[in-house]
Amino acid sequence: GFGLKSAVDGTFDFGMVSKTLKDEEKQQFAQGSITQLGSDVLVIGVNAANPVAQVKPNLSTEELVAIFSGQTKTWQELDPALPDRPIVVAVRDLGGGASEVFDNAIMKGTPISDEALQIPSMGALAGKIMDNADTIGYVSSGLVNQNPDKITPISVDGVAPTLENINSGAYKVGRPLLLVSSDQPSVQEQKFLDYLLSEDGLKVVDELGYIPVAR
């Protein structure tokens, strides 16, 4: 919530927000601006060395809820062909934008396990998956695309996080990438926004592995 708070109280000209804004949050920027640069998808990712990607490349919502709530504790409980090793669950800090997206799309109110590792940044969460073969977590699509040999994506309910499925809305674990300001942009700030939304600016969004907003 830091991006929202810093924009509302004027600490910064723009706050970066990666979630769908609630109506009451939008009201805070009624006299300002809300600009979407693109979309991020939360990919269920595992370490590339984990055999789950070959044994069970698709997980149902129910299986994910059981894993992230701590009901399913070992990989062998998930499938007898998998190793009898503890599942290490990694999530973003609870209450943040990513955790809210994951709760709305997958958990739907079921609490995350007390044993889950709460990671303060998406980069560190991706690093935890890359460092530990038994870790599973939800990771920004950009980081998965930047580390294709280290993080393997898992399909959800038979839907893979492909560009086609993301654009069609078939893959639902996603969030917008926003810049918000409590005041109307100045001339200089508008030029900055115009650049971000230009072909050159959106090319960077695409190169980082995210989905640029349609121009």
Side-chain angles (χ1 to χ4, degrees):
F2 179 74
L4 275 177
K5 293 173 186 174
S6 64
V8 170
D9 64 22
T11 301
F12 297 106
D13 297 316
F14 293 105
M16 299 175 70
V17 182
S18 51
K19 70 168 190 171
T20 300
L21 296 180
K22 301 172 184 174
D23 289 341
E24 58 268 28
E25 291 170 331
K26 290 179 182 177
Q27 279 300 315
Q28 295 176 304
F29 305 104
Q31 306 303 315
S33 65
I34 301 172
T35 304
Q36 182 171 352
L37 301 181
S39 298
D40 178 25
V41 169
L42 297 183
V43 176
I44 306 303
V46 296
N47 187 291
N50 193 323
V52 68
Q54 287 73 48
V55 175
K56 284 184 73 70
N58 170 67
L59 294 176
S60 68
T61 296
E62 291 75 17
E63 287 172 324
L64 288 172
V65 170
I67 290 170
F68 281 85
S69 67
Q71 297 171 48
T72 300
K73 296 185 177 297
T74 71
W75 290 107
Q76 196 171 77
E77 287 178 41
L78 180 65
D79 190 287
L82 293 172
D84 188 17
R85 297 199 304 259
I87 297 175
V88 179
V89 174
V91 298
R92 279 299 310 276
D93 42 324
L94 301 182
S99 67
E100 185 176 312
V101 170
F102 188 70
D103 181 69
N104 290 338
I106 302 295
M107 303 303 288
K108 301 188 185 305
T110 300
I112 295 291
S113 169
D114 291 338
E115 296 178 2
L117 304 175
Q118 291 191 45
I119 311 296
S121 74
M122 195 57 82
L125 199 159
K128 178 62 68 174
I129 293 174
M130 290 188 280
D131 290 343
N132 188 326
D134 290 317
T135 302
I136 186 171
Y138 49 81
V139 193
S140 165
S141 59
L143 290 167
V144 175
N145 293 336
Q146 291 167 36
N147 298 280
D149 299 329
K150 298 178 181 178
I151 301 176
T152 301
I154 299 293
S155 298
V156 178
D157 293 329
V159 181
T162 63
L163 185 59
E164 180 181 1
N165 288 337
I166 292 165
N167 286 335
S168 72
Y171 189 85
K172 300 184 182 301
V173 196
R175 56 186 180 162
L177 302 175
L178 308 172
L179 281 182
V180 296
S181 174
S182 57
D183 298 315
Q184 278 295 311
S186 65
V187 173
Q188 282 184 311
E189 289 168 352
Q190 189 58 54
K191 287 182 178 180
F192 175 63
L193 290 176
D194 290 344
Y195 169 72
L196 294 179
L197 293 170
S198 71
E199 185 175 344
D200 287 342
L202 294 179
K203 183 180 178 183
V204 176
V205 176
D206 181 59
E207 288 173 348
L208 289 173
Y210 302 106
I211 314 302
V213 69
R215 297 181 65 224

